Amino acid sequence: MSERPEPPSSPVSAPFWEATRERRLVLQWCGSCNATIHYPREACPHCFGSELGWRESAGRGVVHATTVMHQPAHPAFADRVPYVVALVELEEGVRMLTNIVGCDPAQARVGRPVRVAWEDLSDGRALPMFELVDEEGS
């Protein structure tokens, strides 16, 4: 099995990745127009402002779109098939491309509530993924 590819960090995304070391999901926000932003950027995509900061996310959302991968996208994922790739809409209003883990892939349907889960990376960071929750949130 080949080594799992890991996402790179950059000066713009560093605060996001540093928070994952503590299992905290943070999102960028604009101090000018108060928009929440994901993925991290150098300027607000809504007002083009540069007064950007970070706020902690509740880590909850709903599945907006989903697909099940029956063929691995990379050799390192061969032992994970079938796995779910999803677009999750967070309570804060942004969407995150991620995986839904810990369930039968057929259960990861549009509209299902989810909460953040974590997969450790080799350098101490963690990759935010999501797991299904019941309608009451547990």
Side-chain angles (χ1 to χ4, degrees):
M1 182 170 110
S2 64
E3 189 174 313
R4 183 204 201 294
E6 296 187 355
S9 184
S10 70
V12 173
S13 68
F16 174 86
W17 290 114
E18 285 304 310
T20 70
R21 294 176 186 278
E22 300 170 356
R23 304 293 192 269
R24 292 184 309 111
L25 181 61
V26 297
L27 300 171
Q28 206 174 29
W29 65 278
C30 178
S32 296
C33 71
N34 208 34
T36 305
I37 303 162
H38 184 77
Y39 57 90
R41 304 170 201 214
E42 292 184 8
C44 176
H46 305 282
C47 73
F48 305 110
S50 60
E51 296 178 39
L52 303 177
W54 295 90
R55 291 184 179 166
E56 193 151 354
S57 168
R60 294 186 302 267
V62 297
V63 177
H64 180 77
T66 183
T67 190
V68 177
M69 301 294 290
H70 293 280
Q71 297 293 321
H74 185 279
F77 301 133
D79 63 342
R80 297 179 184 218
V81 293
Y83 59 91
V84 179
V85 177
L87 193 58
V88 167
E89 185 161 338
L90 296 174
E91 287 180 351
E92 293 82 6
V94 295
R95 293 179 183 160
M96 180 179 283
L97 188 61
T98 186
N99 294 110
I100 307 295
V101 297
C103 68
D104 176 334
Q107 295 176 323
R109 296 181 303 275
V110 171
R112 291 287 308 264
V114 293
R115 69 175 162 228
V116 72
W118 300 97
E119 181 176 315
D120 292 333
L121 298 175
S122 66
D123 62 359
R125 297 177 301 156
L127 189 61
M129 297 188 169
F130 287 81
E131 60 189 9
L132 298 175
V133 294
D134 62 28
E135 299 302 322
E136 286 76 44
S138 59

